[in-house]
Amino acid sequence: MDIGLLKVFRAVAEEGSISKAAQSLNYVQSNVTARIQQLEQELRTPLFYRHSRGITLTSAGQTLMEYTVRIFNLLEEAQQAVLDSPVPKGTITVGSDTTAAVRLPAILSAYRGCYPDVEVQLQIGRAADLIDSVLQHVVQGALMDGPVEHPEIVQELVIHEQLGLVIPDTIGYRGLSSINDKTLLILNAECIYRARLEEWLREEGFRLGKVMEFGTMEGLLGCVRAGIGFAVLPVSYFRRMNITEGISCYPFPERYAEVPTVFIRRRDLYMTSAFREFMEELKVHLPEAVCRTDILAAESSGTATN
């Protein structure tokens, strides 16, 4: 199977149109059509449904697309491996969720000071998007709330964060009674922070009330300050943001407070010298980090021992 045919196939699948794919590839449209037909004849199966709105992948086309993505990722990794050198250079792309991102500026600054020939690109997103980005080779690794259980992912670093209730000063802190009937403000409806809060609430005989989801941390904290509701955030995040006006953070009880932040990567990722050194910089700046995935597995199954 010719790699050039797969390149055309990928473009058509991503664009959803023969004409748009031709433009992106700088080919004439008839050339693209002929190559798709050649590939379908070679595989003896239709790869696209043709309809008035464009084209979409058949089930066979979806299968081929999965392999095509993997093939091109492997080709890129092969090139990286051949061109890699002991002196870090090139580009690395890492991801982070919003709260973990407050730990990155010092790490990035130190790393760039040591390796000025490496360009570091950063992607901030939600947990599900970051996991997908790692699996699709969009980012090489991501710092995020964990644990993350996926057969193709390795969890490299663990940081034990302590959760806290973030409430407006106008309410005053009286434990869980402070947030009774108040609205929980969150960035992600499925986050582990909410799960830990609900565990605490159940233990004390309370129930979670309304939940309001936000797109940005700035908007969330602004609404907490305005008295619209409360939030659950890592205490370290609150302190690093140096928030001093209108809201305060009160730690969870110890049995509910601890959540892991993990650095994830694909199990089969080729680690360039630039990426390896970035991970070493993480360890330097996160002295509480450990590199044992068995600890995570034990914690998630409830079998961790002292």
Side-chain angles (χ1 to χ4, degrees):
M1 188 181 300
D2 187 270
I3 195 70
L5 295 180
L6 290 180
K7 180 181 178 182
V8 173
F9 166 75
R10 182 179 65 171
V12 174
E14 290 176 345
E15 297 290 349
S17 164
I18 294 286
S19 59
K20 290 181 179 179
Q23 291 175 0
S24 68
L25 294 169
N26 199 26
Y27 290 176
V28 296
Q29 187 169 328
S30 60
N31 191 354
V32 173
T33 300
R35 287 174 180 247
I36 293 299
Q37 291 174 344
Q38 179 183 346
L39 186 58
E40 290 179 324
Q41 291 171 2
E42 182 177 333
L43 295 174
R44 300 180 183 179
T45 185
L47 298 173
F48 294 97
Y49 294 114
R50 279 78 170 173
H51 47 75
S52 59
R53 297 184 304 277
I55 58 176
T56 53
L57 289 167
T58 64
S59 58
Q62 291 172 352
T63 299
L64 181 61
M65 186 61 178
E66 293 175 3
Y67 281 96
T68 299
V69 170
R70 290 164 60 182
I71 288 168
F72 280 100
N73 285 333
L74 284 172
L75 286 173
E76 183 177 348
E77 285 191 9
Q79 184 179 32
Q80 290 176 344
V82 171
L83 297 177
D84 195 19
S85 69
V87 179
K89 60 182 180 180
T91 301
I92 62 172
T93 305
V94 296
S96 174
D97 64 19
T98 303
T99 52
V102 298
R103 294 182 175 272
L104 289 177
I107 297 169
L108 295 177
S109 177
Y111 180 79
R112 292 194 64 181
C114 293
Y115 307 106
D117 292 333
V118 180
E119 178 184 355
V120 182
Q121 298 177 349
L122 182 62
Q123 175 181 309
I124 305 295
R126 299 187 179 190
D129 296 330
L130 291 172
I131 293 171
D132 186 63
S133 292
V134 168
L135 291 173
Q136 298 301 322
H137 298 267
V138 176
V139 301
Q140 287 148 296
L143 190 67
M144 57 182 291
D145 296 330
V148 176
E149 298 178 4
H150 192 285
E152 296 180 41
I153 284 179
V154 174
Q155 305 175 84
E156 291 288 343
L157 301 174
V158 180
I159 308 157
H160 295 292
E161 298 281 14
Q162 305 296 314
L163 292 181
L165 283 177
V166 180
I167 63 175
D169 292 342
T170 53
I171 291 179
Y173 182 67
R174 303 179 306 279
L176 283 180
S177 61
S178 307
I179 62 170
N180 191 35
D181 297 326
K182 301 295 189 300
T183 300
L184 171 63
L185 312 182
I186 57 177
L187 293 178
N188 179 5
E190 305 302 323
C191 70
I192 191 174
Y193 305 163
R194 174 178 175 172
R196 288 297 171 84
L197 173 64
E198 289 182 316
E199 290 177 19
W200 183 16
L201 289 169
R202 282 195 299 269
E203 177 72 20
E204 299 295 331
F206 291 89
R207 294 181 62 183
L208 182 64
K210 295 180 179 179
V211 177
M212 186 181 297
E213 191 168 353
F214 285 78
T216 67
M217 183 63 74
E218 292 78 8
L220 184 151
L221 291 175
C223 286
V224 173
R225 188 177 286 109
I228 293 174
F230 70 98
V232 176
L233 294 172
V235 174
S236 65
Y237 177 87
F238 188 85
R239 290 172 177 168
R240 287 169 183 264
M241 291 294 289
N242 195 28
I243 302 169
T244 60
E245 183 179 350
I247 55 178
S248 300
C249 184
Y250 302 92
F252 273 39
E254 184 176 347
R255 63 185 179 279
Y256 305 117
E258 193 170 274
V259 295
T261 295
V262 298
F263 189 80
I264 65 172
R265 62 174 176 84
R266 280 189 64 99
R267 189 175 300 276
D268 60 356
L269 177 72
Y270 174 76
M271 297 176 64
T272 64
S273 59
F275 187 66
R276 285 196 302 270
E277 293 303 327
F278 177 80
M279 293 188 63
E280 290 301 317
E281 203 65 49
L282 276 176
K283 296 172 190 177
V284 169
H285 285 82
L286 302 175
E288 71 274 36
V290 296
C291 297
R292 290 179 52 199
T293 57
D294 59 313
I295 291 178
L296 276 176
E299 289 181 347
S300 63
S301 63
T303 59
T305 58
N306 294 326

